[in-house]
Each structure stands twice: as structure tokens, then as C-alpha cells.
Amino acid sequence: MKFTSIIIRNGRRTQNENKVPFKSILPLKLKDHVTSGNQRLTEKGCLQEMTLLLNCLEKNEFEDMRCVSEVNVLNNCYKTYTENMERSKILKEQSVPVPNSKDLTSKQVTYLLRQYPVV
């Protein structure tokens, strides 16, 4: 008993949900558009391969002939990275969403919201 009275005296009591009325300031419905937020890519384009190449060059006193394999790996990574970026750029420009896609851009979500408005 004594311990709980110390906790209640020093802390804030919980509020009863029934005593607090809900007041809606704005109507509770979705808008028919979405703003384009910061959609940053998590991939940082060949950062690991670049560090491996720089470490190899530093160990070999910046001679290119000793780090040929790391240069080839970096070039292959850059080639696949640019292909992926071009593909994602084409997908971002489409306003009609692809069926069963999980990642939608703001244009595609806006298209869906305008197609199915909230009444």
C-alpha cells in the first residue's frame, strides 16, 4: 500500500477515456491526392566495392595493375546499378499502378484515390 501511494503521488495518473470527448476538427475522410514525399533509396550504389578498391590501391601504393579484379567488380556493380536505376525511373514515371505491386509511388496512389473517391 505504501509503495503504490508513492508511485501515484510522484507520477501522473492515467486518464479515463470515457471522460475525454472526441472533437473532430476536420472531416474524417481521405483527400483525393497524395504529396510526393522524400522517397530515398536505401541502396548506396556500390559503396562496398568502392571501399574495397580504395583499400587495395592504398596497400599497393596506387598501382592499377595489382587491383584489376577489384576494378572489374566495381565496373560490374556500377553497370547493374545504372540498369536498376533506369528501370526504377521508368516505373516511377508510370501513373497507372502495376497489379499486385507492393511499392507504389505517390503518382500511383493519387491515381487510385481519384479512381475510388471517399464519399
Side-chain angles (χ1 to χ4, degrees):
M1 179 72 181
K2 188 175 182 182
F3 182 69
T4 57
S5 64
I6 293 172
I7 292 174
I8 292 173
R9 186 172 12 133
N10 295 337
R12 183 176 170 183
R13 292 184 185 172
T14 59
Q15 216 170 13
N16 189 358
E17 294 177 3
N18 297 328
K19 291 183 179 179
V20 182
F22 176 74
K23 297 177 184 176
S24 63
I25 298 171
L26 296 173
L28 299 175
K29 66 176 188 176
L30 295 175
K31 294 183 179 180
D32 62 345
H33 66 280
V34 176
T35 59
S36 60
N38 292 337
Q39 298 174 350
R40 297 183 182 193
L41 297 175
T42 57
E43 184 181 354
K44 298 290 182 187
C46 306
L47 186 62
Q48 181 71 28
E49 289 80 5
M50 179 66 79
T51 55
L52 291 175
L53 175 64
L54 291 175
N55 286 336
C56 178
L57 289 172
E58 186 178 350
K59 288 178 186 175
N60 295 320
E61 298 175 359
F62 297 98
E63 291 184 25
D64 291 343
M65 294 302 165
R66 294 184 181 178
C67 300
V68 174
S69 62
E70 284 82 1
V71 171
N72 291 335
V73 169
L74 179 65
N75 288 334
N76 291 336
C77 177
Y78 181 71
K79 190 184 301 182
T80 57
Y81 177 74
T82 53
E83 290 172 359
N84 290 339
M85 290 304 291
E86 288 174 4
R87 190 178 312 120
S88 67
K89 194 174 192 180
I90 291 170
L91 288 175
K92 283 182 183 179
E93 291 174 358
Q94 294 177 351
S95 63
V96 179
V98 179
N100 298 327
S101 64
K102 294 181 181 178
D103 297 326
L104 298 174
T105 61
S106 60
K107 287 182 182 179
Q108 293 171 345
V109 173
T110 301
Y111 175 81
L112 288 174
L113 285 174
R114 287 186 178 160
Q115 190 174 14
Y116 304 106
V118 177
V119 179

